[in-house]
Amino acid sequence: MAGQLIREWTAIQQFPAATQEKLVDLLGKLKNENVNTLTILVMGKGGVGKSSTVNSIIGERVVTVSAFQSETPRPVMVSRSRSGFTLNIIDTPGLVEGGYVSDQVLETIKSSLGRFLLNKTIDVLLYVDRLDAYRVDNMDKQVVKAITDSFGKKIWHKAVVVLTHAQLSPPDALSYEEFFSKRSESLLKCVRQGARISKKDLQNFAIPVALVENSGRCNKNEHDEKILPSGTPWIPNLVHTITDVALNGKEGILVDQKLIEGPNANERGKLYIPLILAVQYFFVIKPIQKWIKDDIARETKPSWD
Amino acid sequence: MKCSSQTFHLDSAEKAAMELEAQRKDDLGFPLCILVIGKTGVGKSATINSIFGESKTAVNAFEPSTTRVKEIIGKIDGVKVKVFDTPGLRNSLKDQPKNRKILSSVKKLMKKSPPDVILYVDRLDTQSDNVNDLPLLKLVTSYLGSSMWRKSILAFTHATSVPPDGPDGYPLSCEVFIAQQSEGVQQLIRELLGLNDDSMIPISLVENHPFAKKNENGETLLHNGESWRSNLLFLCYSIKTLSEVNIQNPLEQRKFVDLQIRSQLPTRPVFESHDWDRDIDYDGVLIEDKLEIAGCFPAVISVQLAKDKRECNFQLHSSFLTARIMELLARTRNFLTSLKAKPKSERIKQRLVYP
């Protein structure tokens, strides 16, 4: 870390006292376990609230958010330190462009990670989506698959599903709890399918879900903390979930050369080419040659005589 | 020059409408057929239920509930309305085969029973990720024809959702938010049709949430206090009327009839009390009147037709829509049709009548 000056996390002081207290406690918990750095990668489709969530965690508008245009143009890493503890959060552009998961965006993310975090680990993945989306479809599955292909299935051991726009009035006269539970279930099912997590492996991949409300009109409790409809202050709740995942004993994802360079879709199956050629030669071409030779041998006289 | 003596008496139209209603005529013979399309989960079925005021088609907040094209028939204010609910289109390009299947069955349906109005539904409160919507809009246009946009309305659901925060951290105003979101889609469609002007497809705001604010009649209100359902129905009838009159400039052969509905963006109902007695060229006609429906509900209806500009402004400021308005529109339609028969060089004096 020589020569690298990381900004002091002064924005933590703008949180209401009750939230600050809880955050400081959580940082203390990490330090007790000898964890002095926490690196969080934030990914998901476009327009779901990744940048807003980053701003909410840090406590200041570090990443620009626009309600209209396609947001974050390239990955941004925000680093803050406080009493020897360093927090790194990487905000990324939405993975979907024009109806497909964008390979270009993925490549940009990987090369940025190579610049920010070469040979360092990603401790937590925040997979962000909206609570008030009513469909989980192939697109979501493809996003999950792309993340899995790029970072390995193990990243889902270190993942938190973050649902934004949590302050909603549920549709169709459902209760909030019912709606939240069904929505989480659909999304988690999609993650399992996209990451190819088998049924028997399920208990290994218990991915927690955290609710988030980033807008300025989020309700507050008597201590001025931003709360969810259930009354829980959501910022400490989110950070608590993150720390639990960071300390869950599973390995973080190492950002090494291998991760940055592959897998490239074009590379897939290249190793099979010599094998396929060999199979074709020995099992198709040679037998046909033999049959032709046998046929010639069987012919005793020309048929046009 | 019989045209100079022709005056359009709105009060006689109103009398006729009152008589019709008194006779309790079941079907005023002005049926409306609406086709509802859009992405999955945006609120197509919910909007249809709101239009009819009852649950006519199933909704589901977690998976697609409409799996095939469904015909829904009902009566609104004594007028027969037929709505086609369709399965939602998918965002992922991998689901193109599914989308193609849906669109080709919609296309077949349109041939069999051509709709008067096409409602293209989307959510107001999701980011109009233009790059992602363009392929879908292209596909829709390729199956249903670019002329579909001539009789389309962009319906934005979740219309009373609070706007997101702007760059300064404070929430955007409703007007700015709505304008930006709708303009996003409008631009895409213009791009698709190769138009480089500012022609607009009429928009309608929709709110289907059961707990949204309602007026004394039980109609859901938008932020500006207007009932969205009345506005939408009025828009539908206007479009039907216009297409029946078939106003088009033969010189330029535009693909589009501009239909600017000014009362769509948030405005408070206003009573216009101008006294217009204009000398109007064949190019334009303004008909405006104040009405009193059932003797107590005020309304202002104005129809402004500028043939040259290919512009037709319909404005209705009223607390609700009734069969009378339908009749008025029918009369307007007939009048406009008769207008077409006049040679271009004649000047027409229209006297505007106030009761």
Side-chain angles (χ1 to χ4, degrees), chain B residues 17-239:
Chain B
M18 281 171 76
E19 281 166 23
L20 278 171
E21 245 185 42
Q23 289 167 30
R24 296 221 168 271
K25 202 162 175 208
D26 240 4
D27 188 357
L28 287 177
F30 202 51
L32 183 64
C33 178
I34 307 175
L35 169 69
V36 180
I37 59 173
K39 292 183 274 189
T40 178
V42 296
K44 297 181 292 305
S45 301
T47 303
I48 294 171
N49 289 340
S50 296
I51 289 174
F52 285 108
E54 52 179 301
S55 184
K56 292 254 191 191
T57 173
V59 296
N60 191 323
F62 305 102
E63 5 168 88
S65 62
T66 312
T67 48
R68 60 176 74 140
V69 180
K70 218 159 53 163
E71 182 180 295
I72 300 158
I73 303 178
K75 277 225 172 80
I76 300 176
D77 288 335
V79 184
K80 183 166 166 220
V81 177
K82 183 160 66 172
V83 181
F84 292 113
D85 194 4
T86 60
L89 300 166
R90 306 300 178 93
N91 245 328
S92 162
L93 287 189
K94 260 198 174 184
D95 288 318
Q96 285 294 53
K98 235 180 225 155
N99 285 347
R100 286 178 191 275
K101 218 168 134 190
I102 295 168
L103 287 169
S104 80
S105 60
V106 171
K107 186 176 175 178
K108 261 188 231 145
L109 177 72
M110 278 177 69
K111 277 210 178 97
K112 223 177 62 181
S113 354
D116 299 310
V117 180
I118 299 174
L119 267 191
Y120 180 82
V121 185
D122 202 347
R123 281 177 71 161
L124 182 71
D125 63 348
T126 49
Q127 187 183 55
S128 53
D129 209 346
N130 296 335
V131 187
N132 284 333
D133 280 350
L134 190 58
L136 188 69
L137 286 170
K138 264 201 184 129
L139 191 68
V140 170
T141 312
S142 74
Y143 269 84
L144 307 186
S146 44
S147 61
M148 72 168 271
W149 297 110
R150 210 184 299 172
K151 51 182 172 179
S152 294
I153 298 174
L154 299 177
F156 289 103
T157 55
H158 296 256
T160 63
S161 63
V162 184
D165 295 340
D168 57 359
Y170 291 97
L172 294 164
S173 78
C174 294
E175 286 84 2
V176 171
F177 180 52
I178 292 166
Q180 289 263 30
Q181 296 292 80
S182 77
E183 184 56 21
V185 187
Q186 302 267 15
Q187 265 178 16
L188 280 183
I189 296 171
R190 271 181 232 132
E191 198 182 307
L192 216 69
L193 298 174
L195 300 170
N196 51 11
D197 50 21
D198 55 0
S199 39
M200 272 179 60
I201 300 190
I203 69 166
S204 177
L205 299 174
V206 173
E207 181 51 75
N208 298 313
H209 200 288
F211 300 156
K213 190 157 166 226
K214 297 189 166 69
N215 62 12
E216 325 80 56
N217 299 324
E219 298 186 312
T220 304
L221 300 175
L222 300 172
H223 283 306
N224 61 359
E226 291 183 0
S227 155
W228 66 264
R229 186 176 163 272
S230 307
N231 283 346
L232 174 60
L233 287 170
F234 180 69
L235 249 186
C236 290
Y237 283 110
S238 308
I239 288 175

Side-chain angles (χ1 to χ4, degrees), chain A residues 250-269:
Chain A
K250 304 273 182 17
E251 270 176 36
I253 307 295
L254 178 67
V255 180
D256 55 11
Q257 220 38 51
K258 194 166 143 223
L259 186 145
I260 301 166
E261 285 171 5
N264 186 352
N266 289 333
E267 301 284 322
R268 222 177 289 148

Side-chain angles (χ1 to χ4, degrees), chain A residues 110-123:
Chain A
K110 281 190 278 191
S111 64
S112 299
L113 287 176
R115 278 200 318 275
F116 305 148
L117 294 173
L118 190 55
N119 296 322
K120 305 212 182 87
T121 52
I122 297 169
D123 302 309

Side-chain angles (χ1 to χ4, degrees), chain A residues 19-35:
Chain A
T19 296
Q20 268 186 65
E21 231 179 271
K22 297 186 182 107
L23 290 178
V24 168
D25 272 349
L26 289 164
L27 294 185
K29 197 167 154 192
L30 286 169
K31 286 193 86 183
N32 279 341
E33 305 284 332
N34 282 320
V35 175

Side-chain angles (χ1 to χ4, degrees), chain B residues 77 217 219 230 293-294 297-299 316-322 325:
Chain B
D77 288 335
N217 299 324
E219 298 186 312
S230 307
I293 298 171
F297 297 108
L316 169 71
H317 299 295
S318 152
S319 53
F320 60 91
L321 199 62
T322 63
I325 309 286

